[in-house]
Amino acid sequence: MTASDTHHAIDAVWRIESARLVAGLTRIVRDVGIAEELAQDALVAALEQWPESGVPDKPGAWLMATAKHRAIDLIRRNETYARKLALLGQELETERQEPPLPDEGAIEDDLLRLVFTACHPVLSTEGRVALTLRLLGGLKTDEIARAFLVPEPTVAQRIVRAKRTLAKAEVPFEVPEGDQLAERLPAVLEVVYLIFNEGYSATAGDDLMRPALCEEALRLGRILAGLMPKEPEVHGLVGLMEIQASRSAARTGPSGEPVLLLDQDRSRWDRLLIHRGLAALERAEQLGGAFGPYALQAAIAACHARARTAQETDWERIAALYAVLARRVPSPVVELNRAVAVGMAHGPAAGLELADALAAEPLLKGYHLLPSVRGDFLARLGRHEEARAEFERAAALTRNERERALLLERAAASGRRTG
């Protein structure tokens, strides 16, 4: 194996093992920042040694053993960890010569603890997202920065600030139980879905989608479903992401231009992802989670997935599901989506009436999809001059270049039909 091959192997091992490594080390040193530094030290050691010695048979165990050795040295050097050394030193020393095979159950427990630590509500949303991608996704700072189109120093600062905040708040490395679990789980799911959405519909930049973020969110969601198999909303979220991701190939044209849902070539939808998504939704419903917000959104996505053509879409059911979702999680964005479904089920005038009622919503001020939806209803009603103005307004509000081009094209089409 060449040095280049070894480096590729190390990259692959790191993506697979880094989250488990950081999780296990955090349990030992009780500080996620120090744990990540120790993991990085082990990675550096692998980069130095494996090109000559070869990739070990159990690379994950090698990395963990190396990191634990670094932990012993760190504890010895730092007087503030003297008490921890007394408690942990003997245990770690016995693993120096021949580290035991890792306990899979303990690893999974540590991973779940790391998920809840990285998504702790004491952190800002931006900090949770960055730390989750860093610790659980194994992404480098520059990769996260590119994914979100922000400067690398900004991402680095968010990660550093998040680690300091966790340490200062003395956040316990544990999985909450009982009522606390119910309170904390939505924050975890929100982070995963935020990552997915940024990949599925990029808020800014030249590309409509960033597939790497979608894939990372799906991977995190599947891991979470494996760690928490009895939580219906976890399966609801996975089902939602799987079904939405199934449309990825059909969402853009040959030049990267957006293709609206009703215009997509459904033969390009990924049937395997749809099958997996429907299975996850069924699991959520079996666990009694049919009316959780993510399961409801997955049920809406399933209506599209089951329709062989756009004309066969059950818009009345979609409108009804959005009505339930609006009661479950009141939101003007949900109401706007309900307006779209009502407009498809009962005609553009009915949809426009609901959309117009949202015009004064503060949360929708500057939200480009409100004028976009209104423009679509107005165009279908033959009010083309008004539609043109709404599409132009929407184009001015969006920060995504692909969406802006599509909206300006629709505005021009409406202008041609005026008079």
Side-chain angles (χ1 to χ4, degrees):
M1 182 179 285
T2 67
S4 177
D5 291 336
T6 303
H7 285 159
H8 285 308
I10 293 172
D11 286 341
V13 168
W14 180 253
R15 287 300 301 272
I16 295 169
E17 300 291 345
S18 61
R20 292 181 174 86
L21 188 59
V22 173
L25 292 167
T26 302
R27 175 172 49 82
I28 293 169
V29 300
R30 301 291 166 174
D31 186 303
V32 71
I34 293 173
E36 194 198 2
E37 290 175 8
L38 292 168
Q40 291 288 337
D41 286 346
L43 174 62
V44 170
L47 289 168
E48 291 174 347
Q49 298 178 34
W50 290 5
E52 292 188 7
S53 64
V55 178
D57 293 336
K58 297 183 176 67
W62 189 99
L63 289 168
M64 180 61 80
T66 301
K68 284 183 175 180
H69 297 166
R70 298 289 197 279
I72 294 171
D73 295 338
L74 174 66
I75 291 171
R76 282 175 172 164
R77 288 197 305 269
N78 194 334
E79 291 182 357
T80 62
Y81 282 92
R83 184 169 56 86
K84 290 186 178 181
L85 175 61
L87 296 173
L88 300 170
Q90 184 175 1
E91 175 189 343
L92 294 177
E93 280 285 9
T94 61
E95 298 177 4
R96 235 189 213 282
Q97 299 302 320
E98 188 63 37
L101 291 175
D103 178 5
E104 287 298 323
I107 290 175
E108 300 303 289
D109 289 344
D110 285 343
L111 268 178
L112 195 53
R113 292 186 187 104
L114 185 61
V115 168
F116 278 91
T117 300
C119 298
H120 198 281
V122 74
L123 304 176
S124 68
T125 300
E126 294 83 0
R128 279 181 255 167
V129 169
L131 197 61
T132 298
L133 287 172
R134 174 74 170 180
L135 299 182
L136 293 160
L139 273 65
K140 301 181 181 70
T141 305
D142 62 327
E143 291 175 321
I144 301 171
R146 284 198 303 272
F148 285 91
L149 299 182
V150 295
E152 186 175 344
T154 300
V155 173
Q157 187 178 42
R158 287 175 184 172
I159 293 172
V160 169
R161 189 183 297 121
K163 292 176 185 175
R164 287 175 179 168
T165 300
L166 290 173
K168 185 177 179 180
E170 297 183 347
V171 171
F173 186 61
E174 64 184 15
V175 177
E177 298 180 352
D179 292 342
Q180 281 194 339
L181 177 62
E183 292 173 4
R184 292 271 304 280
L185 182 58
V188 174
L189 301 182
E190 178 191 29
V191 168
V192 176
Y193 197 42
L194 279 172
I195 294 169
F196 179 85
N197 269 337
E198 186 57 34
Y200 191 70
S201 296
T203 55
D206 297 330
D207 298 315
L208 180 69
M209 297 182 64
R210 299 191 190 113
L213 281 180
C214 289
E215 291 168 8
E216 191 57 43
L218 271 170
R219 191 179 71 86
L220 291 173
R222 291 165 184 161
I223 289 173
L224 200 57
L227 296 173
M228 307 182 73
K230 295 184 179 180
E231 288 294 334
E233 268 293 78
V234 175
H235 297 287
L237 174 59
V238 173
L240 172 60
M241 293 191 299
E242 299 274 16
I243 296 172
Q244 287 185 320
S246 72
R247 308 175 199 149
S248 296
R251 293 186 70 231
T252 54
S255 302
E257 69 278 11
V259 179
L260 299 176
L261 177 61
L262 297 182
D263 298 328
Q264 289 175 15
D265 177 359
R266 299 191 175 207
S267 68
R268 300 185 67 198
W269 288 4
D270 189 319
R271 306 312 300 182
L272 175 59
L273 288 178
I274 290 174
H275 175 75
R276 294 176 66 160
L278 294 176
L281 173 59
E282 182 180 0
R283 178 63 175 156
E285 292 171 343
Q286 289 172 346
L287 290 168
F291 297 107
Y294 290 109
L296 283 169
Q297 292 176 78
I300 292 167
C303 289
H304 294 294
R306 292 183 175 118
R308 291 173 298 175
T309 65
Q311 291 72 29
E312 294 179 20
T313 306
D314 189 348
W315 285 106
E316 289 197 6
R317 174 167 169 74
I318 291 174
L321 287 168
Y322 270 123
V324 176
L325 183 62
R327 291 194 296 271
R328 180 76 173 78
V329 187
S331 160
V333 174
V334 173
E335 291 291 353
L336 182 60
N337 286 326
R338 185 169 77 90
V340 172
V342 168
M344 295 300 297
H346 303 293
L352 182 61
E353 182 180 356
L354 292 178
D356 286 347
L358 299 170
E361 280 287 347
L363 290 176
L364 295 184
K365 184 179 180 180
Y367 186 54
H368 71 285
L369 290 182
L370 176 56
S372 174
V373 167
R374 291 194 75 252
D376 183 68
F377 287 143
L378 289 165
R380 289 166 59 194
L381 289 168
R383 295 159 61 178
H384 298 297
E385 183 58 33
E386 294 172 83
R388 181 190 60 78
E390 287 298 285
F391 287 135
E392 288 179 347
R393 180 169 162 244
L397 290 173
T398 184
R399 292 188 293 135
N400 185 281
E401 294 301 325
R402 295 290 187 178
E403 282 189 324
R404 180 178 292 114
L406 174 63
L407 289 164
L408 290 175
E409 181 182 324
R410 299 194 74 189
S414 294
R416 290 191 293 269
R417 295 188 181 98
T418 301

